[in-house]
Amino acid sequence: MIHSTAIIDKSAVIGQNVDIGPYAVIGENVTIGDGTTIGAHATIECARIGQNCKIFSHASIGAPPQDLKYAGEKTIAVIGDGTTVREFATINRGTSASGQTIVGKNCLIMTCAHVAHDCILGDNCIIANCCAIAGHVEVGDGVVMGGLTAVHQFVKIGKNVVTGGGSMVSMDIIPYMQAQGDRASLFGLNLVGLKRKRVPIAEIENIKHAYKILFASHLTLNDAVAKIEEELASSLYVKDIVDFIKKSQRGICRPK
């Protein structure tokens, strides 16, 4: 199912039952997994595409990074199984910093979204239209970014976070939260997302309690984290938050 007008580099490895549309360009160092569909005019180079992905027309995957330090080193973009990349979305390959840009499994990258070099996106993320994710950003599993969200380089976003449309994210966002605004602030827990994932009510209450200690107790961040570890040590969800804070280098996003 390869259209006669498609251009495919002789080094490309194409799996079984792959559909490549008119005028698509498959460049060097590309692997495409079984059952994947590549739309018309899509451009793919230096990339590893998983199985059963859907790459729509005019998408660009694996193009050189928009980084002045990039000197042509061999790097790659990796797209997980079952991920959909819509029209005109761009996912650049990595630089020598990490060697790769990674988008996880079963993600949806909507029209005109941009994922820059050396980013790591977890599984089951939804990146809405025209989001701009700068280089070296790390995004946890299950994150939903509202349209036009922009993320500063080196920011980390915890799992199951949701950002409102037009958010400007310049600080790390702890897991299980909702954030919005310019610059983005926290607006409580992502309760809808937690309930959809069937997180037990008791664990949601634990996350709420940790949130209050962090942002309403008037404790320093280090003291608040210590108090959380003392009172909520048994909660794996709270542990995710504590571990995230301890690893944060930019500092965490806070409520207004």
Side-chain angles (χ1 to χ4, degrees):
M1 300 295 292
I2 299 176
H3 196 275
S4 60
T5 60
I7 299 173
I8 301 176
D9 189 89
K10 62 182 180 181
S11 67
V13 178
I14 311 297
Q16 298 182 350
N17 302 314
V18 171
D19 187 356
I20 300 178
Y23 303 102
V25 178
I26 311 299
E28 64 178 358
N29 192 24
V30 171
T31 301
I32 300 176
D34 298 346
T36 286
T37 299
I38 310 296
H41 297 278
T43 302
I44 302 173
E45 58 181 299
C46 299
R48 186 164 70 246
I49 312 295
Q51 298 181 11
N52 302 311
C53 294
K54 295 180 180 178
I55 313 300
F56 279 70
S57 63
H58 299 279
S60 173
I61 298 176
Q66 299 174 114
D67 186 333
L68 294 176
K69 299 187 299 296
Y70 181 69
E73 58 267 26
K74 291 187 179 299
T75 59
I76 196 168
V78 180
I79 310 298
D81 297 343
T83 284
T84 296
V85 181
R86 293 302 304 251
E87 298 87 348
F88 296 99
T90 56
I91 302 172
N92 293 161
R93 64 182 184 258
T95 68
S96 58
S98 72
Q100 57 187 351
T101 300
I102 301 174
V103 175
K105 298 179 180 178
N106 302 313
C107 293
L108 172 57
I109 312 297
M110 294 188 190
T111 299
C112 295
H114 175 65
V115 180
H117 59 88
D118 303 293
C119 286
I120 301 174
L121 274 62
D123 299 336
N124 304 302
C125 293
I126 298 174
I127 310 301
N129 302 69
C130 300
C131 288
I133 304 177
H136 307 278
V137 168
E138 296 182 20
V139 177
D141 295 343
V143 167
V144 178
M145 288 188 189
L148 297 167
T149 294
V151 185
H152 194 283
Q153 58 263 38
F154 294 100
V155 158
K156 293 179 173 59
I157 298 177
K159 62 176 65 173
N160 298 121
V161 163
V162 60
T163 67
S167 296
M168 301 289 108
V169 182
S170 59
M171 306 287 281
D172 297 345
I173 303 176
I174 62 176
Y176 312 120
M177 299 296 142
Q178 55 179 331
Q180 62 184 25
D182 180 9
R183 293 309 190 243
S185 301
L186 296 186
F187 283 79
L189 279 60
N190 178 17
L191 290 173
V192 172
L194 290 169
K195 290 175 181 178
R196 284 177 178 171
K197 294 184 180 300
R198 299 181 180 178
V199 174
I201 296 299
E203 286 288 12
I204 293 177
E205 292 302 317
N206 286 335
I207 298 170
K208 286 182 179 179
H209 185 41
Y211 185 92
K212 290 177 181 177
I213 294 172
L214 281 170
F215 304 118
S217 66
H218 304 293
L219 295 172
T220 66
L221 182 60
N222 288 339
D223 288 345
V225 168
K227 184 176 176 64
I228 289 169
E229 289 182 305
E230 179 182 348
E231 296 186 7
L232 299 166
S234 63
S235 171
L236 294 178
Y237 291 86
V238 173
K239 186 177 185 300
D240 286 339
I241 294 172
V242 168
D243 290 346
F244 183 94
I245 292 171
K246 287 182 176 180
K247 294 176 182 177
S248 175
Q249 295 181 330
R250 290 189 59 81
I252 61 171
C253 183
R254 296 171 176 269
K256 281 190 174 180

